Amino acid sequence: MPFKTIHIGRLEELTHPDNLKAALAEFILTLIFVFVGEGFGMAFNKLTDNASTTLAGLMAAALAHAFSLFVAVSVSTNISDGHVNPAVTFGFFVDGLSRYM
């Protein structure tokens, strides 16, 4: 099915304060999500003498990522509608963010 039209966002949307705030919040929360998850994995590996590949280590890493994602989505719900994936925000900028907010 071919596209009849491709919607490109307007230039004003890139400099709108709400859109910039949403993009900055998502960038910061993505950094927090990645660093918390990976930091917990490195700390667990150091504390348990390289036992991070055991079942307990894998479950602990999964829980750390789940809780950090939960916090990131909770914090960004009012700012960027809970997006913690930069690809989503980039797609909204290309397609026209104001249509969805």
Side-chain angles (χ1 to χ4, degrees):
M1 180 173 159
F3 293 109
K4 292 184 180 180
T5 60
I6 296 176
H7 298 285
I8 305 290
R10 295 186 313 265
L11 187 59
E12 304 89 49
E13 292 177 348
L14 290 176
T15 59
H16 193 272
D18 290 338
N19 296 345
L20 292 174
K21 182 172 70 170
L24 180 65
E26 183 173 347
F27 176 74
I28 291 170
L29 291 170
T30 301
L31 283 175
I32 290 172
F33 168 68
V34 169
F35 282 119
V36 165
E38 295 305 315
F40 179 81
M42 291 189 308
F44 189 85
N45 191 30
K46 187 78 166 171
L47 289 172
T48 59
D49 291 331
N50 297 326
S52 62
T53 57
T54 62
L55 182 60
L58 295 175
M59 289 299 296
L63 285 173
H65 279 90
F67 286 137
S68 64
L69 182 62
F70 170 74
V71 169
V73 168
S74 298
V75 167
S76 68
T77 298
N78 292 334
I79 301 170
S80 66
D81 291 335
H83 300 143
V84 186
N85 184 354
V88 172
T89 300
F90 179 71
F92 276 173
F93 276 131
V94 169
D95 192 35
L97 186 65
S98 63
R99 209 175 339 163
Y100 299 101
M101 295 184 114

